[in-house]
Amino acid sequence: TIVATPKSNYHFVQWSNGSTDATTQVRVVGNATYTAIFAPDEYKVTTGVNIDTMGTVSPSGLHIIGYDSAYVVTAKPFEGYDFVGWSDGAAAGTDLVRTYIGAARDTVFNAVFKIHEYNVTTSVPSATMGSVTPGGKKPYKSEFCITATANEGFEFAGWGNGVPRDENPYCYRVAARDTNIQALFTAKQYLVETKAEPDGMGDVTPGGYKDYLSNFNVEAVARPGYKFIGWKDGYGAYPNRTYQVLGKDTVLRARFAPATYNILVESNS
C-alpha cells in the first residue's frame, strides 16, 4: 500500500501509473518507482474598477488561478483621471502593473481611480484695468465660472488665450490640461473738447474722443493782436499743457485777450 498526502493548499491528482486513488495497492514483483502528482488548489480571483468611466483593468472579471501562482493585472486610467491604487489595501502598492500571488482564498480587488485636477489660472493684462475671479486646481470636466470686473474708466473687451466666447461671466468646462484664461479690457473714451474764449482771438489744438488716462497735448496760439492769458480751469498761464483724460467728458477753454501796446508820443518842440 502506498499513500500520497498533499501539503496544505495542494491536492493529489494521480500516480504516475495513472491511478487516481491517493491510497492504492501495488503488487511488488521487482524494483519499481511510483510518483505522486500534486497540483495547487484553485481559487477565484475577481478584478474590476471602482468607476468604469474612469479607467480599465486587464484582465477583468472572474478568473481561476492556482495557489501561489502569479497573476498579472494592469490598470489604465482614461484621460482626465488618475490611478490611486488597489482596493485591497496599501500593501498591494500603487503601481499600474501588479503581480498578484494566489492566496488560499477567493479574492476580489479593484483598480481605484479618481478625477484629476488641473491648474486653471486667470490673469489680466494690467491690474489698472480690472480684475478677474482667481483660478486654482479644478477637477476634470467640472464647470468653473469666471467673472471679469472692469475698473473705473475701462470696460470688458472679451477673453484671451483662444476662448471663443465673450460672455461675462464665462463658465469654463475644465479640459484635460492646465489652462490660462485672460480677461481683456479696453479703455473707455471720453470727449475732450477745446475752445478759445472769446471766439476769434486764438486757436486751440482740436479735441475729440480720447482714451481714459491717456495724455492729450494741447496748445493755445493767440491770433495777431491778441494774447493768451490762461486756462479757464486754472491750469496756469502756459499755452502748452498735457491733459490726462479723466472719467468724464471735458471742455478745455483757452482764454485770450486783446494785446496791449505801448505808444510813444513825442513833441518836436
Side-chain angles (χ1 to χ4, degrees):
T1 300
I2 54 176
V3 179
T5 304
K7 292 183 178 180
S8 179
N9 302 311
Y10 295 89
H11 60 274
F12 173 75
V13 178
Q14 66 179 42
W15 292 98
S16 55
N17 65 356
S19 173
T20 57
D21 294 327
T23 302
T24 187
Q25 300 287 331
V26 295
R27 182 179 295 276
V28 179
V29 294
N31 294 332
T33 300
Y34 297 91
T35 302
I37 300 172
F38 300 96
D41 290 343
E42 292 183 330
Y43 297 92
K44 296 176 183 177
V45 177
T46 304
T47 57
V49 297
N50 63 324
I51 300 176
D52 58 11
T53 57
M54 293 186 178
T56 62
V57 65
S58 179
S60 65
L62 174 64
H63 294 269
I64 305 297
I65 67 170
Y67 171 73
D68 206 35
S69 63
Y71 182 62
V72 178
V73 291
T74 302
K76 183 179 180 181
F78 294 145
E79 182 181 56
Y81 302 94
D82 295 322
F83 174 69
V84 178
W86 301 96
S87 62
D88 52 339
T94 56
D95 292 336
L96 289 170
V97 180
R98 171 186 180 180
T99 300
Y100 170 74
I101 303 301
R105 63 182 181 277
D106 293 339
T107 303
V108 177
F109 59 86
N110 292 326
V112 179
F113 302 99
K114 70 169 186 175
I115 298 174
H116 185 82
E117 291 187 333
Y118 292 92
N119 285 316
V120 181
T121 56
T122 57
S123 61
V124 295
S126 170
T128 301
M129 295 183 172
S131 59
V132 66
T133 304
K137 286 187 174 294
K138 306 298 177 184
Y140 175 58
K141 287 189 176 180
S142 66
E143 190 173 73
F144 173 43
C145 292
I146 310 163
T147 300
T149 304
N151 291 338
E152 180 183 4
F154 299 92
E155 57 190 0
F156 175 69
W159 303 99
N161 303 91
V163 175
R165 296 187 295 277
D166 290 335
E167 67 262 27
N168 186 23
Y170 166 58
C171 290
Y172 168 69
R173 186 166 296 279
V174 178
R177 63 181 181 274
D178 293 338
T179 304
N180 175 261
I181 298 174
Q182 187 176 59
L184 304 177
F185 301 94
T186 187
K188 290 183 178 179
Q189 290 197 324
Y190 295 92
L191 179 61
V192 181
E193 296 182 86
T194 58
K195 291 186 177 182
E197 293 185 352
D199 188 30
M201 292 188 180
D203 298 292
V204 188
T205 304
Y209 284 93
K210 309 295 179 183
D211 288 345
Y212 177 66
L213 293 184
S214 65
N215 292 322
F216 174 42
N217 294 320
V218 189
E219 181 180 16
V221 180
R223 293 182 181 179
Y226 301 96
K227 63 181 180 180
F228 173 76
I229 60 174
W231 298 94
K232 194 167 185 178
D233 61 357
Y235 175 78
Y238 300 100
N240 296 303
R241 67 180 292 183
T242 298
Y243 172 73
Q244 187 176 58
V245 180
L246 302 178
K248 61 181 179 180
D249 294 339
T250 304
V251 180
L252 302 178
R253 303 175 189 273
R255 300 172 63 204
F256 299 91
T260 57
Y261 300 94
N262 291 321
I263 300 176
L264 177 63
V265 179
E266 294 181 348
S267 174
N268 60 358
S269 62

